[in-house]
Amino acid sequence: MPNASTRQKRGRRHRRAPREDPARNELVSRSLESAQQCLFNQDYGTAFVHYLLVLNLAPVLKDFARESFRFTLFKWADELDSLGRIQDLFDCYEQALELFPVDEVIINSMGEHLFRMGFRDEAASHFHKALKLKPDFPEARENFYRVANWLVERWHFLMLNDRRRNQKYQQAIQKAVEGGCNTILDIGTGTGILGMCAKKAGASEVYACELSKTMYDLACEVVAANGMNGHIKILHMKSLEMEVPKDIPRRVSLVVTETVDAGLFGEGIIESLIHAWNHLLLPPQSSEEQSSGPSLTGRVIPAGATVFGMAIQSQEIRRHHRLCVSEVGGLSIAAAGELHSPVSCGAADLDDSTEPYTTERLSRLPGGYTPLTKPFTALDIDFNNVQELEGLSSREVRRVRLPVTQGGLLDALAVWFQLHLDQESSLSTGPQEDTCWEQAIYPVQTPHNVTLEPGDELIVDVSCSDAYLRLCSVAVLRDGSELSLEERLNSPHSGPNPDQGSSPTFNPEAELCSALASLQTDHCQPAESCMLESSEMALLNNKPYHDSFRQALAKLVSSLKAAQNQGLEVKPNDPSDPFYVLDVSEGFSLLSLMAASQGQVKAFSSVEKSQHQKVLGRLAQANGVPEKALEFWLNHVEEDQPMLQRPSREKLWSAIILDCVETCGLIRQKLMEKASLARCLLEDGGQIFPERILVYGMLVESDTLLLESAVQGKEPTLGFNIAPFINQFTVPVHVFLDFSTLECRHLSESVELFVLDLMNTTANYTNRDVKVQATLSGRVTAVPFWYQIHLDQDICISTFSRDSHWKQAAVVLHQPLEVRAGDWIRLAVQLHKSSISISAQIEEREGGSVAMDSTRESTP
């Protein structure tokens, strides 16, 4: 049996131990020692090279050296990043992944570098791969959720859940194909639904293009899953780069697209359609031509649009875009100059290339809105007329006079449109429609309130420069006189406006302060203008927030002065020695200046932008704060130094102000790590502001949150199988939520979910079980949460108040939980790196507990 003998010999040879190589072993041993010594000396680059040599020569040591190798890689990568050696950084990661191809920690770390450098698609694939390797890897999961918001914006879910919108597009495409349009190009295909509608309607050739790599990959998966692989050609490119016959064999007879935003033109539909008519579409049909058989002419769906607008009053819009108060935390801010948000439709901004509008869903605007005029037609556009498209940007500015029908403050122009899919079918994005679109908001940012009265006419300029639709309120026609919006329009007989709230009209004291501040600088200079983010404007207008901080700071400084005067401090001191206060708030903040105004305080601000520093300087001078009492901490900190450090060798901080909650409603990343470091830098009796944060939540039933978080099966997507693919990009938390206007049923009272104690580390925990009783029967679809921020034991502010500049967030459940009134639900709340996760199950019901299908969590 020669074959058996051969197999036995091969078996013995396979089991024989490999021959020892003393020279190799010596090299491995010495290199390992060198790697460890370099690591000790923080020479991470050399240590990394030694580890590569060791692990390539002796793979058996991989498990032994894995942790040290990871640490070395990450430290060396950070050094390379700081030096700008990006290619070397990624070369190191490639070398590391050759050694550890399925190491989820290394894969996730490489994704983090890619994300920071703007390679979001590539980062997402790394986070996704790390999660597949280890589904319970929290860092990878949080990273994936974070990047998912960038790659697949939340409006995709609303749009796909909008069955009415999908049906109307399907019907228009069906009619076009039946009318002879057999070759179709879907521009900006997204998930591919419009291209699949065209193929299902019987089109012979269907092409689609998508610029986003993530959405391109998603469309390919969706098309294949719906049995159309090979029947729809999807190109990963911008339509402006497409050529015939390079990318598609011939010109097409129909272009379908929905590359429109709330302001209609913001996604570049005009440019893409001009290119399509000139390079990708058959010529348009003339009025004499009648289609018969395959079309020899081209057309576009949608065929055109009509844009509407109206003037509105809204306190919510006002406080996000212009200054509404004259005093903040005891400081007169008249000397700040003109402060406004980056979004403006003012005449001076007509040539600006930035977007002239923001977006809001008017039906869910806190405090609502008041129409001051009737809707007017701002623009009509025919997408099937290339000459009209090409001449859009060169159109003369059109001046419109709008009769004022309701008196009030002019805060914005609200804009929406009617999208004409064909001659018979259209979609409206109006504020009264149940649609997936928001409305475009053109805020009015005059330095004072503009009050309109019935009988006035508001004069609005309409133009289309820079491929944006621009609407600019320029003047008011009153009693035959045209008054610029720069003039005060508050008539002496006008009574107080019920929606005006705390917004000032004319404040003599503020005007005097502003005049004095101008005299102290250069009275010939016009008032300086400074731009703040809309969230920063809302913060500046949050009077209760600043009053609470002023009170808490005054209490602390008073107690420290009393202790100093009584000689209670351990170390000797000069009674005039200042108390050091550090404000590390994100963005523009007045808290450092408020601290400096207390007297005997040396305050340090983390405000970074030079323009913002100048504003604080002007305010300090106008409010009598000594120049030396306020400094900008970043001017003293090197780039590689941590923000939290001692102010000088002999001093510790008397107070450190931490920015704990993001505007979107989430706890800031690494908050607890910052608090731990801040505690080490406080002097005796010093204080971290805030000292603790209480997290509150509530059980709710909200179909709205479900529709905005995931595609709900096949029914809204016309039977196409899309949900499983796009729902991979759902995130478990809905941010920028306004709970006061959310359509929902409250199924429980609010309950304390968690406590974050920034002053007492022993009081913190990583998980907590909370029992909450259902007060109504229904489906628990989400757990909205918000914060009560305790500055000290007596003073607190809420992120749920009407004046709050913060929004709320909600954990959205993948599967709703049916509850009955009286059920007790146990919420398991966990904290991981400032990220709160919540899982739940029903308790104390006959028949046993009913568990939720999944855990959903909040992410940074």
Side-chain angles (χ1 to χ4, degrees), residues 312-317 360-369 441 738 740-741:
I312 63 170
Q313 170 182 279
S314 166
Q315 185 177 4
E316 181 71 7
I317 292 173
E360 296 281 357
R361 191 175 296 277
L362 290 179
S363 61
R364 283 165 56 177
L365 200 62
Y369 68 97
I441 303 297
D738 205 298
S740 65
T741 59

Side-chain angles (χ1 to χ4, degrees), residues 229-403:
N229 197 20
H231 299 283
I232 300 176
K233 181 181 178 181
I234 306 176
L235 299 97
H236 176 216
M237 63 191 311
K238 200 172 184 177
S239 69
L240 298 175
E241 300 169 352
M242 292 179 62
E243 300 175 11
V244 174
K246 178 182 175 183
D247 301 301
I248 55 177
R250 61 189 64 85
R251 288 181 177 244
V252 297
S253 54
L254 176 66
V255 159
V256 295
T257 187
E258 200 190 44
T259 50
V260 293
D261 69 341
L264 187 61
F265 300 147
E267 290 189 13
I269 189 171
I270 299 299
E271 186 181 13
S272 62
L273 288 184
I274 290 173
H275 176 270
W277 278 114
N278 290 329
H279 301 283
L280 306 174
L281 263 167
L282 290 168
Q285 180 178 330
S286 66
S287 56
E288 295 81 15
E289 290 177 316
Q290 299 293 326
S291 59
S292 59
S295 178
L296 300 178
T297 59
R299 55 178 292 198
V300 174
I301 295 177
T306 302
V307 182
F308 302 95
M310 68 179 175
I312 63 170
Q313 170 182 279
S314 166
Q315 185 177 4
E316 181 71 7
I317 292 173
R318 184 188 320 143
R319 73 191 189 98
H320 278 84
H321 295 283
R322 69 177 189 267
L323 195 60
C324 301
V325 292
S326 58
E327 178 268 338
V328 176
L331 301 170
S332 170
I333 58 173
E338 294 183 14
L339 305 178
H340 60 86
S341 75
V343 184
S344 176
C345 54
D349 303 305
L350 283 177
D351 294 329
D352 195 349
S353 60
T354 59
E355 289 192 359
Y357 54 85
T358 182
T359 63
E360 296 281 357
R361 191 175 296 277
L362 290 179
S363 61
R364 283 165 56 177
L365 200 62
Y369 68 97
T370 302
L372 304 181
T373 67
K374 291 182 178 180
F376 69 97
T377 300
L379 180 76
D380 275 305
I381 184 71
D382 183 357
F383 293 148
N384 284 308
N385 186 329
V386 66
Q387 289 77 24
E388 185 173 329
L389 295 173
E390 290 175 333
L392 186 64
S393 62
S394 59
R395 284 189 187 182
E396 291 186 2
V397 176
R398 174 171 168 248
R399 179 153 287 190
V400 183
R401 290 167 52 166
L402 308 177

Side-chain angles (χ1 to χ4, degrees), residues 90 122 185 195 214 217 296 309 321 330 357 402 439 472 570 648 656 765 788 791 800 816 839:
F90 288 119
E122 294 82 356
L185 170 63
T214 297
D217 291 338
L296 300 178
H321 295 283
Y357 54 85
L402 308 177
Q439 289 77 49
C472 173
V570 176
S648 63
I656 297 177
Y765 40 78
Q788 194 174 77
L791 303 182
F800 195 24
S839 62

Side-chain angles (χ1 to χ4, degrees), residues 461-482:
D461 283 349
V462 181
S463 63
C464 292
S465 61
D466 302 318
Y468 285 115
L469 176 64
R470 297 180 181 273
L471 276 71
C472 173
S473 305
V474 292
V476 171
L477 193 63
R478 175 176 294 172
D479 299 329
S481 300
E482 185 175 308

Side-chain angles (χ1 to χ4, degrees), residues 348-588:
D349 303 305
L350 283 177
D351 294 329
D352 195 349
S353 60
T354 59
E355 289 192 359
Y357 54 85
T358 182
T359 63
E360 296 281 357
R361 191 175 296 277
L362 290 179
S363 61
R364 283 165 56 177
L365 200 62
Y369 68 97
T370 302
L372 304 181
T373 67
K374 291 182 178 180
F376 69 97
T377 300
L379 180 76
D380 275 305
I381 184 71
D382 183 357
F383 293 148
N384 284 308
N385 186 329
V386 66
Q387 289 77 24
E388 185 173 329
L389 295 173
E390 290 175 333
L392 186 64
S393 62
S394 59
R395 284 189 187 182
E396 291 186 2
V397 176
R398 174 171 168 248
R399 179 153 287 190
V400 183
R401 290 167 52 166
L402 308 177
V404 175
T405 56
Q406 171 71 45
L409 297 182
L410 175 61
D411 292 316
L413 297 171
V415 167
W416 64 95
F417 56 87
Q418 192 168 22
L419 203 61
H420 308 298
L421 301 183
D422 54 26
Q423 292 182 344
E424 300 173 2
S425 182
S426 64
L427 290 168
S428 173
T429 69
Q432 307 304 322
E433 302 289 339
D434 183 16
T435 174
C436 59
W437 276 286
E438 296 181 325
Q439 289 77 49
I441 303 297
Y442 294 75
V444 173
Q445 296 185 340
T446 55
H448 52 265
N449 290 326
V450 176
T451 303
L452 300 181
E453 300 175 355
D456 291 344
E457 286 187 315
L458 178 64
I459 300 176
V460 175
D461 283 349
V462 181
S463 63
C464 292
S465 61
D466 302 318
Y468 285 115
L469 176 64
R470 297 180 181 273
L471 276 71
C472 173
S473 305
V474 292
V476 171
L477 193 63
R478 175 176 294 172
D479 299 329
S481 300
E482 185 175 308
L483 305 173
S484 167
L485 293 192
E486 297 302 314
E487 302 178 41
R488 292 191 178 278
L489 299 180
N490 302 73
S491 64
H493 57 273
S494 295
N497 194 295
D499 185 50
Q500 189 168 338
S502 61
S503 301
T505 51
F506 179 75
N507 186 323
E509 181 183 352
E511 295 290 333
L512 179 60
C513 288
S514 180
L516 289 174
S518 296
L519 287 173
Q520 290 171 350
T521 53
D522 183 356
H523 67 277
C524 295
Q525 293 291 332
E528 291 193 46
S529 176
C530 179
M531 185 173 66
L532 300 178
E533 295 298 325
S534 59
S535 59
E536 294 173 329
M537 289 298 304
L539 169 59
L540 198 56
N541 286 319
N542 188 345
K543 185 173 174 56
Y545 170 90
H546 289 97
D547 288 344
S548 297
F549 257 104
R550 179 191 182 191
Q551 185 182 354
L553 286 166
K555 280 178 60 179
L556 174 65
V557 172
S558 178
S559 67
L560 291 173
K561 286 180 180 178
Q564 188 182 64
N565 292 334
Q566 295 170 15
L568 298 180
E569 289 192 339
V570 176
K571 58 181 183 299
N573 60 84
D574 183 340
S576 64
D577 195 23
F579 303 107
Y580 281 43
V581 175
L582 173 64
D583 175 18
V584 290
S585 299
E586 299 282 340
F588 184 79

